[in-house]
Amino acid sequence: MVFPNPGKEFLQVKLVVQHKSAHLQFFDMSGRLVLETDLSGDMQRIETAQLGSGAYIYRITASNRVIASGKWVKE
């Protein structure tokens, strides 16, 4: 789960219990990778100050499969 949505300076990612680590990717609406980070633990804060306002597509992968994806909006 990614929240708050919409957000501003940061977002938080909550992983489900069975995944202790994962990989987060953010893409702009043209499909360009703009943010990428590894996640560990059940809750992690990601700084988004470097991203411009607009909509982004995110993908979270663990164990070589997609466990979450969606759209996130930066105000």
Side-chain angles (χ1 to χ4, degrees):
M1 176 178 5
V2 173
F3 62 95
N5 194 2
K8 292 184 181 183
E9 299 296 318
F10 70 94
L11 61 89
Q12 295 199 86
V13 179
K14 180 170 177 51
L15 295 177
V16 293
V17 173
Q18 64 264 39
H19 298 289
K20 295 295 180 198
S21 65
H23 190 73
L24 172 70
Q25 295 176 305
F26 262 74
F27 301 90
D28 64 16
M29 295 311 283
S30 66
R32 185 176 55 115
L33 180 65
V34 294
L35 181 104
E36 184 171 32
T37 189
D38 289 320
L39 306 170
S40 60
D42 64 342
M43 182 78 74
Q44 188 161 340
R45 180 180 168 126
I46 309 295
E47 299 298 321
T48 58
Q50 75 276 20
L51 298 176
S53 296
Y56 296 88
I57 302 297
Y58 68 86
R59 179 172 57 206
I60 302 172
T61 56
S63 303
N64 293 321
R65 64 184 183 93
V66 176
I67 60 170
S69 62
K71 185 168 86 170
W72 182 77
V73 177
K74 180 172 182 186
E75 294 181 324

